[in-house]
Amino acid sequence: MSANRSLTSALRPLTQNGASTSTQALCNSTRRQAVASHRRSASTAVASSSSSSSSSSITDAAPSASSPSYVHDPTPNVHLPRLARSEPELYAAVRPPPLSAFAALTARLGLIPSSLDPQTRDHRIRLVYQACTHPSFQALVDQVNASANLQLEPSAAVSGLAKKQGASALDAAQFLTLPEGGVEHHAALATVGNSLLGMLATEHLHLRYPNLPTRVLKAAVSAYVGPSTLSDVGTELGLSAQGILRWNKQARVPASSNLTQKRGGRGALPRTLSSSTASASSSAQMRTLLSRDVAADAMRALVAVIFQEQGLSAARNFITSHFLNRSLNLADLLKFNDPKLALSSTCAKYGKQPPQSRMIAESGRLSISPVFVVGVWSGATKIGEGSGSSIRMAEFRAAEDALRRLYLTETPLGDFDLPSCTLDAQFDGSVGEGKVEERSFTPQPIGEAEVLTAAGKSRH
């Protein structure tokens, strides 16, 4: 016990010294924290006072919403004009077109080579824009000009968007400015292009297929450069893009029906109707103007633009590349009421021996599905062959095959000259981009005329 008491008394001074030391350290740290917090509060007060003074100065400098010098304008810097909000379809139709779209179309047509000067380049782009504008577009422009509420603001006349600062030079460089007054449409250009398409396609097909009957030749020309083909080629070139074709979708055009020309056929007018009644009824038939019609007219106008700017040779190359090089089965256009009679007349006209039908092969004569193969000979020359489920059908098809072999005789492309090539030097375009050499025309020998006027006529 005495030993423990002495140990406790010996350790007591050490414990008291450690406690006093820790208490003193704690007091010192508390004092330092208080000083730091006091300094932070002082700096915060100074900062708040400075910010309040600066905000008060800004508030004094800026006018309040209730002050008479403040004008609130909710309109953004760039916004749609009134026409876009009241008549969106009309606004979309008359909005200035983008220059880049027509420049790309002009480049695809080969009208703006890199060596062209800027003035001629702009002129050709505007010609392409004119070729894509239908005459019905004038009605939309007149509708906008007739009402003051529908007219575009001066700042929106260039780009179609109203701007507070007005139209800039960049807007004029990005959009085509519409001419004041009347609309420059493609009516005259389409007429010239239609004549060029008909002339160049007719001479090409006539020299390539010299024995083709007249009816079939006309049908082939319509198939190669007709409205449907023109519309399809225009779609491939990009005419169906938004904003390219300019036309009135509500326009009405006369229906292209030839009921008065039919005689006793299906759909013909009664004979009791007079000529005045027939003309009145035909004029009353109207239909909506379709986009395919506008695209076809635009393609005709583009052909005229190429002819005007680059000459007849460039127009011929364009028509040959985009229209006449297409594949068309002309055999489907040849139809005969009596091919055996037509073949006999043809052989007599050419001084050949009369055609004779001979059996080449047969199978299953007594079965439910026989097959007969018949050939047609003129002397020792076999001129046709056909097959069918009966001998009469096989003879009919063999005679048709012989006539098609004759009428569809094709001249190689490099073995004939076109008559229009003699005019290349005379019509070399408005801007002479290259000297066109004068070419001579070697006429082909005149072949025999078609045998029957009914060649190519439908059986119905």
Side-chain angles (χ1 to χ4, degrees):
M1 292 294 291
S2 61
N4 292 336
R5 191 179 297 110
S6 62
L7 180 61
T8 303
S9 61
L11 293 176
R12 186 178 296 123
L14 296 177
T15 306
Q16 291 177 355
N17 293 336
S20 61
T21 304
S22 61
T23 303
Q24 185 178 2
L26 179 61
C27 292
N28 293 335
S29 63
T30 304
R31 189 180 299 110
R32 285 194 298 269
Q33 291 178 0
V35 172
S37 62
H38 178 70
R39 290 178 179 176
R40 284 197 300 269
S41 61
S43 61
T44 303
V46 172
S48 61
S49 62
S50 62
S51 62
S52 62
S53 61
S54 61
S55 62
S56 62
S57 62
I58 293 175
T59 305
D60 296 338
S64 62
S66 60
S67 62
S69 61
Y70 176 78
V71 178
H72 177 65
D73 188 4
T75 306
N77 292 331
V78 180
H79 61 278
L80 292 174
R82 295 187 305 270
L83 179 60
R85 297 188 293 269
S86 59
E87 298 288 342
E89 295 182 358
L90 184 60
Y91 167 74
V94 301
R95 181 180 179 181
L99 177 62
S100 58
F102 287 95
L105 177 59
T106 310
R108 284 194 293 270
L109 296 174
L111 288 172
I112 47 175
S114 58
S115 59
L116 203 63
D117 56 284
Q119 291 79 10
T120 308
R121 175 182 177 275
D122 296 340
H123 172 66
R124 291 186 176 181
I125 292 176
R126 292 191 174 276
L127 279 178
V128 172
Y129 168 73
Q130 179 182 351
C132 296
T133 305
H134 195 265
S136 62
F137 185 69
Q138 180 67 51
L140 297 177
V141 177
D142 295 340
Q143 182 180 353
V144 172
N145 296 333
S147 177
N149 297 329
L150 298 180
Q151 294 183 5
L152 294 174
E153 291 84 343
S155 60
V158 178
S159 63
L161 296 175
K163 299 183 178 182
K164 289 183 179 180
Q165 292 80 10
S168 61
L170 183 60
D171 296 333
Q174 290 180 341
F175 296 90
L176 280 172
T177 56
L178 299 178
E180 298 181 359
V183 175
E184 296 180 354
H185 51 76
H186 63 212
L189 291 174
T191 303
V192 176
N194 188 41
S195 301
L196 287 171
L197 285 167
M199 180 191 71
L200 297 177
T202 301
E203 68 173 4
H204 177 87
L205 294 176
H206 177 63
L207 292 175
R208 188 174 180 181
Y209 303 97
N211 298 330
L212 209 60
T214 304
R215 291 177 181 268
V216 182
L217 179 61
K218 291 181 178 180
V221 171
S222 300
Y224 273 105
V225 294
S228 299
T229 307
L230 289 170
S231 177
D232 294 339
V233 174
T235 302
E236 295 174 1
L237 289 176
L239 293 183
S240 60
Q242 184 178 5
I244 296 296
L245 295 178
R246 317 277 286 179
W247 56 293
N248 184 8
K249 297 182 180 180
Q250 305 298 329
R252 306 280 294 177
V253 294
S256 57
S257 60
N258 55 351
L259 298 181
T260 57
Q261 299 178 1
K262 296 182 179 180
R263 298 181 180 179
R266 184 178 179 181
L269 294 176
R271 296 182 179 179
T272 56
L273 293 179
S274 60
S275 59
S276 60
T277 307
S279 60
S281 61
S282 61
S283 61
Q285 296 177 356
M286 304 290 289
R287 64 176 179 86
T288 305
L289 181 64
L290 303 178
S291 60
R292 296 182 63 87
D293 303 330
V294 181
D297 288 341
M299 280 305 305
R300 297 186 184 100
L302 289 176
V303 171
V305 170
I306 295 175
F307 168 72
Q308 174 182 332
E309 296 298 318
Q310 295 183 334
L312 182 60
S313 178
R316 185 190 304 108
N317 294 335
F318 178 81
I319 294 173
T320 303
S321 302
H322 291 81
F323 296 96
L324 300 180
N325 282 344
R326 293 174 175 261
S327 177
L328 177 63
N329 187 13
L330 297 179
D332 296 337
L333 303 178
L334 282 170
K335 299 178 182 179
F336 301 92
N337 295 332
D338 192 350
K340 295 180 65 176
L341 177 60
L343 182 59
S344 300
S345 303
T346 302
C347 291
K349 187 177 184 65
Y350 283 94
K352 304 295 183 181
Q353 297 183 9
Q356 295 181 356
S357 301
R358 302 174 186 174
M359 182 74 68
I360 297 178
E362 64 173 292
S363 175
R365 179 186 286 265
L366 301 179
S367 65
I368 194 174
S369 56
V371 177
F372 300 93
V373 180
V374 175
V376 179
W377 275 262
S378 176
T381 305
K382 181 181 178 181
I383 58 177
E385 181 180 332
S387 62
S389 58
S390 64
I391 298 178
R392 185 176 180 180
M393 180 186 296
E395 289 180 345
F396 187 93
R397 292 179 177 176
E400 275 191 338
D401 180 63
L403 290 173
R404 287 173 179 171
R405 290 174 183 270
L406 170 65
Y407 287 129
L408 297 181
T409 301
E410 183 177 357
T411 306
L413 292 177
D415 293 352
F416 61 89
D417 297 328
L418 297 174
S420 62
C421 67
T422 58
L423 303 175
D424 291 348
Q426 183 178 356
F427 299 98
D428 57 348
S430 60
V431 179
E433 298 179 359
K435 186 177 180 181
V436 180
E437 298 180 358
E438 295 185 2
R439 299 173 58 183
S440 60
F441 169 66
T442 303
Q444 302 293 326
I446 299 178
E448 298 290 344
E450 60 187 83
V451 178
L452 297 177
T453 58
K457 188 176 181 180
S458 176
R459 300 189 184 97
H460 303 289

